[in-house]
Amino acid sequence: MAETTKILSGEDYLDNFDAKSYAGAFFSEIEIEGFSFTEFRLKTLHKIYSKGNIKGKLLLEIGSGPCIHTVIPAASWFDEIIMTDFSPSNRDMQEKWLKKDPGAHNWDKFFKYYSKLDGNEDNWQQLEAALRPKIKRVLTCDVFKQNPLDPIQLDPVDVICTSACLESACPDKDAYHNAMKNVVSLLKPGGKLILIGILNCPHYVVGSEIFQCLSISRDEVINTVKANGLDVIELFDDDTSVEEGTAIFNGTVIILAEKK
């Protein structure tokens, strides 16, 4: 009898998640195997931030993974950026980039892409130099805790960004709702949530491991945002689908919402 492949989740992120493999597989190129879902994220985030309306003292990234690409266009609009993740491997990769460690993932292509969107591709190193000092802390987070940053207590924050985090963390839709509630509790009234949701993804592969993902629809993501005391300001959709490989999914939604 063939051995059943174990699908990892939850506490497995503490010891079995290889952040370097993840970053290498999903964020070595802007476009991977002909699919441009990463490009969609970058263009949309640039559009959201470049208007100059999403700004403040503090941007909190929930479930950053080993990545920094979601906060690059935010650097000039906030005094401080805090990155967070549940996985020690992901937090270690964040710290490596901040310290210019040789083992850090190379994000040069992403800085160049954003700089090109700004109209000055040659300015990418200045963009990188502007971001690094804005990231003041890399913290542990657990979206299943009432205070996901426990024991750290923050004043209510201006903006939260979270990308493909809740669906990766949550085993079912009730857990997704409760995790969203916990994350939104960190926002001040009138604060903004930027949520990037990967749709209908049952699992994804990192190195030799398979990790569970909550398969959730666009409407379910939007309704969960609304059910947790937020008004949707803008919706951005991408219908890119991947049927095989490291991640199987069929769409991405990016939501800009405001806490009531």
Side-chain angles (χ1 to χ4, degrees):
M1 181 179 295
E3 183 178 348
T4 303
T5 301
K6 181 182 179 182
I7 297 180
L8 304 181
S9 63
E11 298 293 313
D12 295 318
Y13 279 92
L14 294 175
D15 299 313
N16 299 102
F17 192 84
D18 185 338
K20 193 169 184 65
S21 291
Y22 175 82
F26 291 96
F27 298 101
S28 289
E29 303 290 341
I30 305 295
E31 183 176 292
I32 300 174
E33 297 176 356
F35 297 107
S36 58
F37 60 93
T38 300
E39 187 174 22
F40 163 71
R41 297 186 209 179
L42 304 187
K43 284 183 175 178
T44 303
L45 289 170
H46 182 268
K47 181 178 181 180
I48 288 171
Y49 285 115
S50 63
K51 293 178 181 178
N53 300 322
I54 309 302
K55 57 186 177 181
K57 180 180 178 182
L58 175 62
L59 169 64
L60 176 64
E61 174 93 2
I62 291 290
S64 312
C67 305
I68 61 161
H69 66 286
T70 53
V71 299
I72 293 172
S76 61
W77 301 107
F78 293 89
D79 298 331
E80 178 182 358
I81 298 171
I82 295 176
M83 312 296 278
T84 72
D85 205 81
F86 182 68
S87 163
S89 180
N90 283 331
R91 297 195 303 274
D92 181 62
M93 285 295 287
Q94 292 278 352
E95 294 284 4
K96 279 183 166 64
W97 183 80
L98 288 173
K99 296 172 182 176
K100 302 182 181 181
D101 188 288
H105 185 70
N106 188 325
W107 295 99
D108 290 359
K109 291 177 182 178
F110 291 79
F111 284 103
K112 290 175 182 177
Y113 188 85
Y114 277 121
S115 294
K116 187 176 181 179
L117 292 178
D118 285 337
N120 184 7
E121 190 171 1
D122 294 334
N123 195 48
W124 71 271
Q125 288 177 310
Q126 289 93 322
L127 191 59
E128 181 181 25
L131 175 62
R132 195 172 264 111
K134 289 293 181 74
I135 300 176
K136 308 294 187 182
R137 288 182 280 178
V138 178
L139 301 178
T140 302
C141 78
D142 182 345
V143 295
F144 298 126
K145 291 184 176 181
Q146 189 171 358
N147 170 16
L149 304 180
D150 183 63
I152 303 295
Q153 295 281 345
L154 295 180
D155 291 335
V157 304
D158 301 293
V159 178
I160 291 174
C161 182
T162 184
S163 175
C165 168
L166 300 187
E167 57 267 43
S168 299
C170 295
D172 55 48
K173 290 164 188 177
D174 286 340
Y176 186 87
H177 175 88
N178 290 331
M180 183 84 72
K181 179 181 178 181
N182 295 337
V183 170
V184 171
S185 73
L186 300 171
L187 268 179
K188 70 180 185 182
K192 305 298 191 296
L193 173 72
I194 301 170
L195 182 143
I196 302 173
I198 307 301
L199 305 178
N200 303 302
C201 175
H203 58 260
Y204 65 103
V205 178
V206 180
S208 61
E209 307 289 2
I210 302 176
F211 284 85
Q212 173 264 337
C213 193
L214 178 63
S215 184
I216 193 165
S217 72
R218 176 184 185 273
D219 287 347
E220 286 169 330
V221 175
I222 295 168
N223 290 338
T224 304
V225 168
K226 291 179 177 178
N228 279 288
L230 296 121
D231 291 323
V232 173
I233 300 172
E234 281 190 276
L235 289 169
F236 306 88
D237 293 290
D238 180 61
D239 61 2
T240 297
S241 295
V242 178
E243 303 299 333
E244 59 184 4
T246 52
I248 299 170
F249 66 95
N250 64 2
T252 304
V253 64
I254 298 180
I255 302 173
L256 174 62
E258 181 176 86
K259 187 174 182 180
K260 296 177 183 178

